[in-house]
Amino acid sequence: MSHRPEHTGPAEFYYNQTEARKYTQNGRIIEIQLSMTERAVELLRVPPDTSQFLLDIGCGSGLSGEYISEQGHHWVGVDISPAMLEVAREREVEGDLLLGDMGQGLPFRPGTFDGAISISAVQWLCNADTKLHNPVRRMSMLFSSLYACLRRGAKAVLQVYPENADQMDLITFQATKVGFTGGLVIDYPNSSKAKKLYLCLFTGGAPVHMPLPLGLDSSQQASFAEKKVCSGRAGRKRLYKSKDWILAKKERRRRQGSKFVREDTKYTGRRRKGKF
């Protein structure tokens, strides 16, 4: 039986008043949340002695926002759960709070924020909770609006809990599709409990040096800065209607949930002989 909260239903229903209270009463949850926030802000690499205007996507009860405020920054938090935002208001957090669904896009003007973080929220978009929810479309809405509301040269760090490699591919593909570059930093990848994934996104081109993961050296980083160029063989772009192009297109259709994609066979992409 799955214990992932995304499998129980929409986030706005899962994070009810009972769950929301845990983020002010459960010491373990608070400690984990704060440690991930601290790491996300560290990966943002904010210039020292500066005050930044940051966006917290899936801000919940405001735990992440409190840490942001302690570091001298200003912030705006967006969350889909009214119960979580009510807890944040009761705790009198310093940031501004907005009730909204990140899968419908972020309603901010272009270039508003100096950076953004998100803790354990983005993977919710990988699930279709209703017939109207399309994971690919919702993920695209999030990243296109996030890219727009960040100033050029800004960074975003999203801590995610993907269920499998396909979900991670969906997230990274949609991020690079709208123009983000960056990479995936995996802290403590050999530990089942301590392992954490941080998606580091950049609006100003690929960084010269990606942040180092905790517990390993730089060889363990997974960079996806070049994923915008779909290469079948070592840097060569796939030719239109070639075998590589057809296989890639079929794989995209499968990720989008299409039920009418033919199985791959030895005849896939084979050129047919001309008619007599």
Side-chain angles (χ1 to χ4, degrees):
M1 182 177 180
S2 175
H3 295 286
R4 295 183 68 92
E6 306 96 85
H7 293 172
T8 63
E12 60 267 36
F13 296 143
Y14 176 80
Y15 289 108
N16 52 29
Q17 292 183 356
T18 302
E19 286 294 323
R21 295 296 172 188
K22 293 180 181 179
Y23 284 78
T24 58
Q25 300 172 356
N26 189 311
R28 181 173 178 273
I29 291 179
I30 294 174
E31 181 182 358
I32 294 174
Q33 188 82 2
L34 289 178
S35 67
M36 291 189 296
T37 302
E38 183 177 358
R39 177 61 169 155
V41 174
E42 176 188 350
L43 292 172
L44 275 180
R45 292 185 170 181
V46 176
D49 301 323
T50 61
S51 179
Q52 304 283 298
F53 189 37
L54 305 179
L55 173 63
D56 185 1
I57 305 170
C59 64
S61 62
L63 282 173
S64 299
E66 280 191 339
Y67 178 80
I68 293 174
S69 296
E70 290 173 0
Q71 301 305 304
H73 307 300
H74 305 284
W75 59 280
V76 172
V78 180
D79 202 276
I80 197 173
S81 168
M84 293 290 266
L85 292 178
E86 182 60 31
V87 171
R89 281 192 289 268
E90 291 176 0
R91 299 175 65 242
E92 299 182 348
V93 296
E94 296 182 12
D96 294 323
L97 304 173
L98 176 66
L99 178 65
D101 179 2
M102 60 181 169
Q104 295 182 0
L106 302 169
F108 302 106
R109 293 180 179 180
T112 298
F113 297 101
D114 300 313
I117 68 167
S118 178
I119 306 298
S120 308
V122 174
Q123 72 274 359
W124 282 88
L125 297 184
C126 295
N127 297 275
D129 296 316
T130 71
K131 292 182 179 179
L132 299 178
H133 282 182
N134 181 308
V136 174
R137 187 179 300 117
R138 286 168 60 77
M139 199 74 71
S140 177
M141 287 290 291
L142 167 64
F143 284 117
S144 59
S145 58
L146 176 60
Y147 190 88
C149 72
L150 291 174
R151 64 170 177 79
R152 297 289 74 83
K155 306 179 184 68
V157 177
L158 315 177
Q159 186 275 322
V160 294
Y161 281 120
E163 184 175 2
N164 48 49
D166 288 340
Q167 288 192 357
M168 194 70 250
D169 287 343
L170 170 63
I171 296 171
T172 55
F173 177 78
Q174 293 302 322
T176 55
K177 184 178 179 181
V178 303
F180 280 113
T181 56
L184 184 65
V185 175
I186 306 176
D187 286 347
Y188 307 107
N190 298 323
S191 172
S192 59
K193 292 185 178 181
K195 182 178 179 180
K196 297 292 184 296
L197 280 68
Y198 296 87
L199 193 60
C200 300
L201 303 176
F202 306 87
T203 60
V208 177
H209 298 291
M210 278 292 296
L212 293 177
L214 300 179
L216 287 175
D217 58 23
S218 58
S219 65
Q220 300 294 328
Q221 297 176 60
S223 176
F224 62 87
E226 301 299 326
K227 281 193 175 181
K228 289 196 295 182
V229 179
C230 299
S231 55
R233 296 185 183 87
R236 289 171 52 191
K237 193 173 181 179
R238 296 188 182 109
L239 296 177
Y240 178 67
K241 289 192 176 180
S242 65
K243 183 174 182 179
D244 287 338
W245 183 89
I246 293 172
L247 290 173
K249 183 178 180 180
K250 291 170 73 175
E251 183 61 28
R252 286 197 301 271
R253 294 292 302 278
R254 293 189 184 104
R255 290 179 185 172
Q256 294 169 0
S258 176
K259 299 179 180 178
F260 305 100
V261 182
R262 293 183 179 179
E263 295 292 330
D264 297 336
T265 69
K266 64 180 181 180
Y267 301 107
T268 300
R270 178 177 290 186
R271 291 186 176 275
R272 303 183 186 278
K273 294 182 179 180
K275 296 183 179 179
F276 290 102

